[in-house]
Amino acid sequence: MRKLGILLSGRGSNFIAIADNIARGALAAEIAIVISNQPDAPGIAVAHERGLQTLVIPSKGRKREEHDRDVVAALQQAGAELIILAGYMRLLSPWFVKQFPQRILNIHPSLLPAFPGLDAQQQAFEYGVRVSGCTVHFVDEHLDHGAIIVQRTVPVLPGDDAHALADRILEQEHQAYSEAIAIALSGRFRVEGRRIIVD
């Protein structure tokens, strides 16, 4: 089985969805390690309860690359082949990204390149878009920027508020992330400019 390294900072709902898909045989992978930069992250407690290898590497008060070097060392020691950002609320340094070229995935709750950064669902709602969604992409040195692997659309309904929209986007995230992981692990794709072509 190919090994995943999960990075999270909060509740880890995408991590849980990935772990559930692995457990029921819908995703051919194993979780090698779950790392959090927040000691009180609920997701790290869930990982521990499931018997997964967990590690907390606090980031508060540390320089980005110094912290990243500790995280990378732990990922490499665990044999992680694909790095999954599951609500990891910390920008990776360019040095980190270079250690795992086209092997770091992130999910964002909008149809990138629209509404990058924080509070994407609120941004979409306030802008008045009729369709939003989520994007799984490779991570590069820029925020919410790498080549797109999977996108899923979610209509913005007349009675929506930002919270209702976020809940429906999250449902799609839980499916899209495992789909993108399977593509990345298969190796049956090529990158042409910004486009991912699945063979």
Side-chain angles (χ1 to χ4, degrees):
M1 288 288 185
R2 305 291 295 279
K3 293 184 176 183
L4 308 180
I6 308 284
L7 303 184
L8 56 81
S9 298
R11 61 183 175 166
S13 71
N14 273 303
F15 146 64
I16 293 167
I18 292 164
D20 287 348
N21 283 333
I22 290 171
R24 65 186 179 87
L27 180 61
E30 70 174 278
I31 295 173
I33 191 169
V34 180
I35 299 174
S36 180
N37 65 319
Q38 298 293 337
D40 58 352
I44 207 81
V46 172
H48 184 73
E49 289 166 7
R50 291 184 178 219
L52 298 170
Q53 181 182 349
T54 61
L55 184 62
V56 174
I57 305 176
S59 58
K60 188 173 182 180
R62 301 188 65 192
K63 293 181 179 177
R64 188 176 313 283
E65 189 171 314
E66 174 189 272
H67 178 260
D68 282 358
R69 286 182 182 275
D70 288 347
V71 174
V72 166
L75 290 167
Q76 291 174 336
Q77 186 173 1
E81 300 169 78
L82 191 67
I83 314 307
I84 308 301
L85 306 185
Y88 190 60
M89 304 304 290
R90 189 166 171 85
L91 288 174
L92 302 181
S93 65
W95 178 86
F96 189 126
V97 174
K98 287 174 184 171
Q99 307 315 300
F100 300 98
Q102 289 187 359
R103 290 191 293 136
I104 307 172
L105 271 58
N106 185 47
I107 192 160
H108 185 75
S110 76
L111 296 174
L112 291 173
F115 313 119
L118 296 175
D119 301 319
Q121 306 95 322
Q122 184 71 37
Q123 290 183 59
F125 183 75
E126 290 177 356
Y127 200 84
V129 297
R130 300 299 180 92
V131 177
S132 190
C134 62
T135 303
V136 186
H137 62 94
F138 284 117
V139 173
D140 63 15
E141 291 84 357
H142 306 286
L143 176 67
D144 297 330
H145 179 265
I148 292 169
I149 306 169
V150 170
Q151 287 186 309
R152 291 203 173 206
T153 59
V154 174
V156 181
L157 303 178
D160 272 346
D161 59 19
H163 294 292
L165 177 60
D167 287 345
R168 288 207 320 285
I169 291 173
L170 190 61
E171 291 175 7
Q172 294 302 311
E173 288 182 42
H174 290 168
Q175 300 174 46
Y177 220 158
S178 289
E179 179 185 346
I181 290 168
I183 291 169
L185 289 177
S186 76
R188 294 192 299 272
F189 67 89
R190 62 188 187 278
V191 181
E192 294 184 358
R194 290 196 46 81
R195 298 181 65 218
I196 301 286
I197 311 296
V198 179
D199 296 327

